[in-house]
Amino acid sequence: MRGYFGPYGGQFVPETVMAALAELEAAYERYREDPTFQAELEQLYRDYAGRPTPLYHARRLSRELGGAQIYLKREDLNHTGAHKLNNTLGQILLATRMGKRRIIAETGAGQHGVATATVAALFGCRCVIYMGAKDMARQAPNVARMRLLGAEVRPVYSGSQTLKDATSEAIRDWVTNVDDTYYLIGSVVGPHPYPTIVRDFQAVIGRETLAQCQAQLGRLPDSIYACVGGGSNAMGIFTAFLGEPTVKLVGVEAAGRGLETNAHAATLAKGRPGVLHGALSYLLCDEDGQIQEAHSISAGLDYPGVGPEHSWLKDQGRVEYTTATDEEALAAFHRLTRTEGILPALESAHALAAALRDAPRLPQDHIMVVNLSGRGDKDLEIVLKTTAELATPL
Amino acid sequence: MNRVRAHLEDLRRRGGKAFIPFIMAGYPSLAATPAFLEGLAEAGADAIELGLPFSDPLADGPVNQTASYTALQNGATVDRVLAVAAAVAPRLSCPLLLFTYLNPLLQRGPRRLLAEAAAAGFAGLIVPDLPPEAAEEIRAAAAAAGLGMSFLVAPTSPPERIRRAAEASSAFLYAVSLRGVTGARESLPPDLPEFLARVRANADCPVMVGFGIGTPAQARAAAELADGVIVGSALVRLAGEEGVEAACRLAWEIRSVLPAGPAEIRQAEE
C-alpha cells in the first residue's frame, strides 16, 4: 500500500496537514526524477558538503582487535559534521521549488538543527528550530551555532523536554502555519512521504560505500554497522545493500543504562507497534498507549520511536538490530579517539561499540563497515563529565 | 441511526443549534470529573466530549496539553476514565463522546476498548489523528460497539476529502475552524463563512464547528454557519483556574445564546 512498509508507516496526523502532505508527495514525485533537480543536488553534495566522504580503513583499531577489518564511512567529514546535511540539502531544494520560504525543524542533539539552519542560510529562508529544553542545556554549542546561522531556536518545555517533544511542537507549528511553511523532518520518521524522502536523500551514503568497496577492495563488505535513533544514517547506508543477501546489516540502538532498566532508547528491542508523530512503527509506550521517556547519553538517539521502514526490516529479519549501552558507547568513543585520532559523535559511538564487540570473533578477511555518522566535538562536555563519573578506563 | 446523529438531526429540523463541550477526564482532578460532566449536562449540552489524556497530544494547544499532562499525573488511566464514565453516564441527560488519540486505542485494541467504552455509556468517538482513509478497522470496531464516529475536516481540506470524511462520519462531521491547534482565540478566522459553506456543499450530515471558540459571542456567530459548536479549551482553562462551577457557568452562558436552548427542546420533547 502507498506510504507503507509492510504494515508500518502511513499518515496519522491532524487533518489540517493532510493536504500539505499530498502537496509534498506530488512535488517529490515530480522532482525525484527531474535531471535539473538531481544535478543541482549532486553539485551541492560535491562542492558544498564535501562529498564523497572517504571510506577509511582503520588499520590500528583493526590490528588491536585482531579480527575483522574495520572501515569507517566518514560522514563526520560532511560539512556541519554529520550525515544530516545530505537530507537538509535535498529537502531545501524541494521546499524552495514548492515556494515555501519559512523552514521549521525539530532537533535532538542539534545536528539536524544546525544542518537545517545551514541550508536555510544558504537559500535565504526564515528558520525556526524546536529543541527540548533539556537538549538545549546538554548541546549548548549547537544552540549557539544555529543562532549564529540566523535561526530562531525555540525551547520546548513540555513532556520530557527532548526530541519527542520538540517533534510534537514542530508539528503543531506546521499545523498552524501550513500555507507558507515547510516542515523539514530530520529522520526517516513522521508521516508518509517523509520516511521515503529522507531515506532517498541519505541513500547517497550507501551508494558511495558500495562504489568505494568495489574500487578499494574489489568486493562487497561482509557487514555494515550503523546506529539507530530515528534511523536516517542507518537507512542511508543500508538501502544500497538491501538487495545484497551476503551483506549482513546491523542496526545499533541505545541501551542507555541497560535494557533491564527503563532508562534506554531501544525501541525495536523493547517496544511495540503503535502510532507516534504520524506513523505506525515500533515505539516505547505503556499499556495505555502513553509514550515513555527514552534515555540515552546521546541526545540524537534519545527518542522513543523509530522509522517505519526499520520496523519492517526488523520483522522481515533483513537487518539485525542490537544495542549498546551508554558505557559501551563512551568506551568506544575513547578507543577510536586514542587509536585512530578520530572523535566520533556519541550516536556513532554506539555503532562502533557493537562493531568492537563483534570484530574480534571474526576472521581477518571479514570487511566490516561502520557508519561514522557524525563527529564528536559537540559531545566533549558530556564525555568529559561522564568519563569522570564512570571512571572509564583510558 | 446512531443516537448522537438522531438527536442532532432532530435539533436541526427544529432550527436549533447544538452545543458540545469538551473536557479532559481527570482534570482538574478525577474526583471533580463526574460533577463537571453533570454540570455541563445541566447547562444544556447536547453531547459532551470526554478527552482521554494522552502524553503527546499533537492537535492540542497549551491549555489542553497541560490538562492532559496533569490528568496523567492525577492517575487518569484508561480504566479509571472508563470507570468515571460508567458511574456518571446513567445520570446524564446527554450522550458522552470519547475523544482519544490513536495510540491508546491501538494499544488496548480498538475492538476491546470501544466495546468497553460503549459498555461504560459512551455513544460516540473522535480520534483527531486518524484520517478517514486509514480508519477501516476503527470504523468497524466503532460500528460493532454501536458508537457514532466523527471525522475532522479543516480549512485546508479539499472538497473530495470533505465528502469522504462526511461519508465516514456516522455521528457528525467535526469542522476545525482554523489552521492550528486547539485553544481559544481573540476572534473567529475571517475565512470561516467561506470554509463552512464549502463544508455544507459537500456534506449532508450535521456539522459541528470547533477549535478557537471560547466566548458566547463567538459561539453564536460560528453556530449560525453550522449545526452547532464545540467549545473545549476555554472551559478546561476556567475549570483549572476557577473551578468546575465557573466552567459550567460559561457553558450555560454559551448554551443560552444558541437557538433552541434546553428549555425549548425539553418542552418540545414533552
Side-chain angles (χ1 to χ4, degrees):
Chain A
M1 201 173 10
R2 191 179 60 86
Y4 283 83
F5 306 93
Y8 302 108
Q11 296 177 317
F12 301 97
V13 288
E15 170 67 20
T16 310
V17 297
M18 287 297 288
L21 288 173
E23 185 192 0
L24 175 63
E25 186 177 8
Y28 183 61
E29 286 306 318
R30 177 173 163 204
Y31 291 116
R32 73 188 300 180
E33 308 293 343
D34 179 64
T36 319
F37 181 94
Q38 290 301 335
E40 191 177 345
L41 182 58
E42 273 165 37
Q43 190 178 7
L44 285 167
Y45 279 168
R46 189 185 65 226
D47 301 340
Y48 188 74
R51 304 204 69 89
T53 58
L55 182 68
Y56 167 71
H57 185 191
R59 284 192 182 80
R60 280 200 75 209
L61 181 64
S62 304
R63 200 157 51 232
E64 263 192 26
L65 293 167
Q69 299 306 305
I70 296 182
Y71 285 76
L72 304 175
K73 179 59 175 165
R74 298 290 308 276
E75 290 300 301
D76 60 316
L77 295 179
N78 253 321
H79 177 43
T80 75
H83 72 292
K84 292 293 185 186
L85 190 71
N86 303 331
N87 168 49
T88 58
L89 281 171
Q91 288 203 57
I92 197 78
L93 291 183
L94 261 184
T96 49
R97 276 168 169 76
M98 291 170 72
K100 313 269 183 185
R101 307 298 302 184
R102 180 176 180 269
I103 309 296
I104 59 168
E106 79 295 336
T107 196
Q111 290 304 103
H112 174 58
V114 167
T116 302
T118 297
V119 298
L122 180 63
F123 283 81
C125 295
R126 280 180 61 207
C127 184
V128 176
I129 304 291
Y130 289 92
M131 190 169 186
K134 187 175 147 195
D135 287 339
M136 285 178 74
R138 59 180 169 173
Q139 303 286 341
N142 274 342
V143 176
R145 288 165 81 193
M146 288 183 269
R147 287 180 172 151
L148 287 170
L149 287 160
E152 179 191 343
V153 183
R154 291 190 186 164
V156 177
Y157 295 102
S158 54
S160 55
Q161 305 189 8
T162 61
L163 179 55
K164 162 179 90 79
D165 311 286
T167 305
S168 296
E169 207 52 36
I171 294 174
R172 291 187 189 110
D173 179 312
W174 196 34
V175 169
T176 306
N177 301 294
V178 63
D179 293 336
D180 70 341
T181 294
Y182 184 94
Y183 178 27
L184 206 163
I185 284 190
S187 192
V188 287
V189 300
H192 174 72
Y194 281 111
T196 299
I197 291 179
V198 178
R199 177 202 65 198
D200 290 355
F201 288 140
Q202 291 293 359
V204 64
I205 305 173
R207 285 197 305 273
E208 283 178 12
T209 304
L210 184 64
Q212 287 164 326
C213 284
Q214 298 291 7
Q216 293 171 224
L217 305 161
R219 69 175 183 92
L220 291 172
D222 299 296
S223 58
I224 299 179
Y225 288 65
C227 65
V228 177
S232 71
N233 88 83
M235 282 317 306
I237 198 164
F238 290 165
T239 296
F241 295 93
L242 286 174
E244 302 288 353
T246 62
V247 183
K248 181 176 158 182
L249 303 174
V250 182
V252 186
E253 294 189 297
R257 299 197 186 97
L259 291 184
E260 71 286 359
T261 70
N262 278 328
H264 61 75
T267 307
L268 291 164
K270 302 287 277 185
R272 49 176 124 191
V275 165
L276 173 66
H277 296 145
L280 180 71
S281 193
Y282 279 81
L283 56 86
L284 298 174
C285 69
D286 68 14
E287 287 176 359
D288 272 3
Q290 310 300 345
I291 311 302
Q292 290 169 335
E293 292 188 14
H295 164 80
S296 170
I297 191 169
S298 123
L301 302 182
D302 197 348
Y303 182 63
V306 67
E309 194 168 6
H310 282 294
S311 293
W312 180 226
L313 291 169
K314 171 193 159 76
D315 284 5
Q316 287 180 305
R318 176 62 189 96
V319 176
E320 181 184 315
Y321 292 92
T322 181
T323 62
T325 62
D326 288 350
E327 205 161 343
E328 290 173 303
L330 278 168
F333 174 96
H334 290 298
R335 186 138 195 197
L336 189 70
T337 303
R338 291 293 179 100
T339 55
E340 297 287 347
I342 297 170
L343 280 76
L346 282 175
E347 290 78 12
S348 321
H350 285 74
L352 197 63
L356 296 181
R357 213 160 49 203
D358 293 348
R361 296 196 298 266
L362 293 165
Q364 295 195 354
D365 63 352
H366 181 105
I367 304 293
M368 176 183 277
V369 175
V370 178
N371 196 12
L372 203 74
S373 54
R375 57 190 289 165
D377 305 55
K378 69 184 175 58
D379 295 316
L380 290 190
E381 192 183 321
I382 196 157
V383 167
L384 292 174
K385 182 169 155 271
T386 323
T387 301
E389 280 171 11
L390 294 175
T392 303
L394 294 181
Chain B
M1 185 188 287
N2 173 266
R3 69 184 161 112
V4 180
R5 166 74 67 99
H7 172 72
L8 295 176
E9 288 198 349
D10 183 46
L11 188 59
R12 174 156 79 175
R13 266 194 301 277
R14 285 182 290 170
K17 301 290 183 181
F19 167 55
I20 302 182
F22 164 93
I23 65 167
M24 186 67 71
Y27 185 82
S29 67
L30 268 171
T33 300
F36 201 173
L37 291 170
E38 287 177 280
L40 292 170
E42 281 163 22
D46 293 278
I48 305 170
E49 281 182 36
L50 186 61
L52 190 65
F54 180 53
S55 54
D56 295 80
L58 275 189
D60 282 301
V63 169
N64 286 347
Q65 284 178 47
T66 301
S68 214
Y69 179 78
T70 308
L72 289 173
Q73 299 292 105
N74 290 342
T77 61
V78 173
D79 284 335
R80 286 189 182 136
V81 171
L82 290 173
V84 164
V88 74
R91 300 200 295 269
L92 296 179
S93 54
C94 68
L96 273 181
L97 315 174
L98 178 65
F99 178 101
T100 177
Y101 284 85
L102 185 52
N103 199 47
L105 207 48
L106 294 180
Q107 295 311 322
R108 186 163 291 208
R111 276 196 179 266
R112 183 176 153 205
L113 181 56
L114 295 184
E116 289 173 351
F122 283 99
L125 175 69
I126 300 163
V127 186
D129 54 351
L130 179 67
E133 54 266 54
E136 202 175 319
E137 185 193 357
I138 308 259
R139 283 178 66 192
L147 297 180
M149 278 205 79
S150 295
F151 286 90
L152 287 74
V153 292
T156 52
S157 306
E160 65 273 17
R161 289 195 62 82
I162 296 173
R163 284 195 290 275
R164 185 169 200 168
E167 280 159 20
S169 297
S170 51
F172 58 85
L173 186 63
Y174 190 140
V176 175
S177 74
L178 45 76
R179 291 160 177 78
V181 293
T182 60
R185 307 290 203 279
E186 286 290 305
S187 57
L188 295 177
D191 61 353
L192 190 62
E194 180 268 326
F195 165 51
L196 289 173
R198 187 151 36 87
V199 173
R200 291 287 212 184
N202 290 283
D204 292 330
C205 63
V207 175
M208 301 296 132
V209 57
F211 281 46
I213 299 170
T215 66
Q218 289 173 339
R220 187 171 50 203
E224 280 175 18
L225 306 166
D227 297 307
V229 294
I230 298 167
V231 178
S233 300
L235 298 169
V236 171
R237 189 179 60 202
L238 211 48
E241 287 173 0
E242 294 177 29
V244 162
E245 295 79 13
C248 290
R249 269 198 303 280
L250 175 61
W252 185 271
E253 286 167 24
I254 291 172
R255 173 70 270 185
S256 64
V257 300
L258 299 176
E264 299 157 59
I265 292 175
R266 280 176 194 148
Q267 277 164 10
E269 278 169 357
E270 283 156 15

